[in-house]
Amino acid sequence: VICFVRCKETVNFESTAQEQPKVPASRAIKALLGNPYFWATLILWTVTCVHTTIIGTDLPYYCKYVLGNDEWYYSVIYTSEIVALIVGALLCPMLLQKFNKRNLSLAGCIVVVIAHALIMVNPMSFRWILVMTIIRSLGQAPLTSLVFGMMGDVVEYGQWKSHLRQESLIFGGGSLGFKIGTGITSAVMTAMLEGAGFLSSTAGGAVQPDSAVSMITSIFKFGPILVWIVAIIVLVFYKLDKIYPKIMADLARREAQGEV
């Protein structure tokens, strides 16, 4: 409701709408696939969802078969992660007054990698994991909450570069991409656990072989670090924030001249 009431449309092409020819699908798709920042934000969006898939799938097993308490430990750790994520997201508007989206997200990703790496200092301690999880979630918050705004910037970049405004394709393509990514993540994790001899039990009383417990531990320790390192690499090369003021100035000039 707040978003609906507060948001105002600033792009206006009514004067030229009747003159715009219908864009062929081939041109629209070519413009989308040739937009490097579409791919960058798609990867970043996927990273946040892959992380959620890894933690959501593996954490219950880690609590049960490694820490020895799947009900209390899992509930507290996962709830704390969500609460910290919400708090971090609420802080982002204030932080954006001093930092741009790329730099804030990059700093957060570095915090995520450091905090999760520190879990390995004492991976058998529930309290230690809880504290590191909260710190990790605070670091995760900027990218998780800003990636959609970054995708909005990609729309402006695409229009500036190709003279096509592609909100639907960019957000639709991003949505499809992250769904495929999370689906593949779930399939890969299932295959890894089954390959390690994981025993599924509806009653929850299965005794796991050492190989399965080792795989559960490895996924929990290294899975999140790997995906967030990918995010760091993408953000290091993400330069859209630097050229964004020029893009908006050029688009405003075009709009004043009745151009797309």
Side-chain angles (χ1 to χ4, degrees), residues 67 73 77 122 124-133:
L67 299 182
Y73 284 0
I77 292 174
N122 196 356
M124 298 298 294
S125 170
F126 162 70
R127 293 182 179 179
W128 179 252
I129 293 174
L130 177 61
V131 172
M132 291 301 107
T133 295

Side-chain angles (χ1 to χ4, degrees), residues 107 175 205:
S175 176

Side-chain angles (χ1 to χ4, degrees), residues 9 41 76 106 117 143 169 175 178 236:
E9 180 60 79
T41 52
V76 173
L106 178 58
L143 181 59
L169 270 180
S175 176
F178 99 79
V236 165

Side-chain angles (χ1 to χ4, degrees), residues 103-176:
N103 291 344
L104 184 57
S105 297
L106 178 58
C109 290
I110 293 172
V111 170
V112 171
V113 171
I114 293 174
H116 195 83
L118 287 174
I119 287 178
M120 300 179 197
V121 173
N122 196 356
M124 298 298 294
S125 170
F126 162 70
R127 293 182 179 179
W128 179 252
I129 293 174
L130 177 61
V131 172
M132 291 301 107
T133 295
I134 292 172
I135 296 173
R136 183 187 68 196
S137 295
L138 291 173
Q140 181 187 346
L143 181 59
T144 301
S145 57
L146 297 177
V147 69
F148 302 104
M150 295 170 76
M151 228 165 218
D153 296 343
V154 172
V155 173
E156 310 291 355
Y157 174 84
Q159 180 185 346
W160 178 70
K161 196 73 174 178
S162 66
H163 293 264
L164 293 178
R165 193 165 182 85
Q166 299 183 296
E167 293 97 333
S168 299
L169 270 180
I170 288 174
F171 280 90
S175 176
L176 176 63

